[in-house]
Amino acid sequence: EIVRKIFQRTADGEGYKKICEEYKIKPQSYYNILKNKIYIGIVVFEKKETKGIHKQIISEDLWMKVQNLKS
């Protein structure tokens, strides 16, 4: 649930400082969450991406929106 909220709040334009403060996470952890493809159901191992057997936590659309914000 927290990961979903972090992605949604970021997509909505909320600043990382406020999000980090509220969830008591370090900025590096925040950015690691935002770039981790595991949340969209993709496993990365030895630079190879494969579809995992687990459910995705967030939609690919939301993940892409956040990635585009960081660019």
Side-chain angles (χ1 to χ4, degrees):
E1 186 63 32
I2 291 172
V3 169
R4 278 190 216 108
K5 288 180 181 178
I6 289 172
F7 270 90
Q8 190 58 60
R9 291 171 68 174
T10 300
D12 291 343
E14 196 164 336
Y16 80 94
K17 287 182 182 180
K18 186 174 181 182
I19 294 170
C20 289
E21 190 175 288
E22 185 169 325
Y23 294 111
K24 295 176 179 41
I25 58 173
K26 294 180 181 181
Q28 187 61 48
S29 296
Y30 167 81
Y31 287 109
N32 287 339
I33 289 168
L34 295 184
K35 67 181 181 182
N36 195 335
K37 291 185 175 185
I38 197 83
Y39 300 123
I40 55 170
I42 295 175
V43 177
V44 180
F45 181 70
E46 295 182 350
K47 298 183 182 181
K48 184 177 179 184
E49 295 182 3
T50 57
K51 180 98 170 119
I53 59 171
H54 61 286
K55 284 186 177 181
Q56 62 188 64
I57 294 174
I58 60 165
S59 70
E60 290 181 38
D61 289 339
L62 179 57
W63 194 85
M64 286 304 299
K65 183 175 183 181
V66 168
Q67 301 315 300
N68 290 333
L69 288 174
K70 294 182 347 183
S71 301

